[in-house]
Each structure stands twice: as C-alpha cells, then as structure tokens.
Amino acid sequence: MWDWNGTLFHDIDAVVGATNAVFEPYGLGSYDADRFRAVYTRPIWAAYERMLGRPLREGEWEVLDLGFHDAYHRLMLECGLAEDALSALDAWKAAGGRQSLLSMWEHERLVPKITELGIDRHFTRIDGLRGVTGGHKAEWMVAHLAALGVDPADVLVIGDSLDDAHAARHVGARAVLYTGGMTGRADLMACGVPVVDTLTDALNHA
C-alpha cells in the first residue's frame, strides 16, 4: 500500500512553499525543507501549533488550511513523481504483487492527478480523503483494507511519515518509511520500522 504525498509524489517543495505562503502574515520567517521536517507532524494542526508556539484560535485552522491548499494546488503543478517511483511500481507489478494507494489528499484531486501521470494502471484501489483534512490516517486505512478484502498481515505500507507507520500498526500491517518526504530521518528512525532512502529499497522489505 503506497502513500502519495511525499512518497510516490515528490512535492516537498510545494508543501514548504505553501506553508511559507500561509504563515507569511505571522512573521515567522521562511522555512526550508529541513526546518519544515523538524516541526512536521500529524494531525497537521499540531504542526501549525508547533510553528506558532501556541494553540490555534477558534476558526484559525480552517483559514490556514484553506490558504495552504490554495497555494499548494498552484505550486504542485511543478512537481512530479519521485525519482524511482515508476521503476518501483513496475518492479512490484512484474513480481506479481498487488498495489493500492491510500492518500490523505482530496480524492477528487488525487485520482485525476494519478491518471494524468499514467500510473493508475498499477493500483487495484485508489483512495483519497473524503472529508475533513488534517487528521490521522488510521481510520481511513481500516476502510481501505476492508474494501480490498485483504489480510493486513500480508500488507506492507510504504510512506514518508510517522502517521503512515502508526496507521499500519493500528491495522496490523507492516510499514517501511521513506526519507524523501515530510519527516526528518531521525524522527523516522525513532519509530522502530525500517527506513529507506529510495522507493526501490522499500520493496526489499515486502
């Protein structure tokens, strides 16, 4: 089971750029990828509270989330697949493996983007977020696996965040975490699951 943002889709520059845009009025200074990874967590509003050094005020999350996505959907047009995403997808397909994709990005945007990039043929099921953004992935993974009708013990989750690993643990699947996304290596290593620098290497744990 593949994650999308920060895993198959290399969008860290768009995420950081959109974050800088939405927080510019707060005078926090610009983030680069490493500084962003140091504060990133899910749910995403918790990362925003880390950045601000205070709890979000009533209604503030909704304004920040809308502003972030407005900027992200412009900046992501310059992003593409991770360097070895296509070769990893092809390799697992050639090995006879099944692949699915579960993302916390909006479903109605996710499916057309995957189709545009020509990789939709690799997946037996694609699920994006249908509902409020920013939460944890575990409940969505439960529904995704139920729809697939597979034993979680036979599933390897490949993602880039601690939330991916926590969701996998919640459903009884295994996980491997990729360093090309939103979370720093040290935090990934502390999670207690394998950590890899390429998506092809992730398949060695399948």
Side-chain angles (χ1 to χ4, degrees):
M1 183 195 306
W2 295 95
D3 174 56
W4 179 243
N5 301 97
T7 304
L8 289 174
F9 190 54
H10 185 68
D11 62 347
I12 183 67
D13 291 337
V15 170
V16 173
T19 302
N20 284 333
V22 79
F23 279 100
E24 184 176 2
Y26 290 82
L28 299 181
S30 294
Y31 281 73
D32 60 15
D34 288 339
R35 186 177 176 218
F36 175 80
R37 287 172 174 137
V39 298
Y40 177 76
T41 189
R42 293 197 71 90
I44 192 64
W45 55 74
Y48 287 179
E49 290 179 337
R50 283 183 180 180
M51 294 167 68
L52 292 170
R54 61 166 174 79
L56 294 177
R57 303 186 181 101
E58 184 176 354
E60 194 171 19
W61 157 250
E62 290 79 6
V63 173
L64 289 169
D65 188 53
L66 180 62
F68 170 85
H69 282 95
D70 283 346
Y72 174 80
H73 290 141
R74 293 193 303 272
L75 295 171
M76 62 159 282
L77 298 176
E78 303 299 319
C79 301
L81 294 173
E83 184 175 355
D84 65 337
L86 189 55
S87 60
L89 291 169
D90 285 339
W92 191 241
K93 182 178 180 180
R98 295 176 63 193
Q99 305 180 81
S100 69
L101 191 149
L102 175 62
S103 172
M104 296 295 281
W105 191 35
E106 302 161 59
H107 184 80
E108 64 271 19
R109 290 183 181 270
L110 174 69
V111 174
K113 188 63 179 179
I114 290 171
T115 303
E116 173 193 327
L117 293 169
I119 60 171
D120 52 306
R121 68 187 187 278
H122 287 285
F123 306 113
T124 57
R125 185 174 180 88
I126 298 170
D127 281 318
L129 187 66
R130 299 174 176 92
V132 178
T133 63
H136 290 294
K137 199 170 192 174
E139 63 182 291
W140 303 98
M141 193 173 289
V142 170
H144 183 79
L145 287 175
L148 286 171
V150 298
D151 184 346
D154 295 330
V155 174
L156 178 69
V157 175
I158 302 174
D160 71 305
S161 74
L162 302 184
D163 194 45
D164 292 306
H166 295 156
R169 188 173 295 129
H170 177 77
V171 300
R174 293 172 297 124
V176 58
L177 297 177
Y178 167 60
T179 59
M182 316 303 174
T183 309
R185 173 182 282 277
D187 287 336
L188 295 178
M189 295 289 292
C191 193
V193 302
V195 175
V196 297
D197 294 317
T198 72
L199 298 179
T200 304
D201 285 344
L203 297 180
N204 294 330
H205 297 275

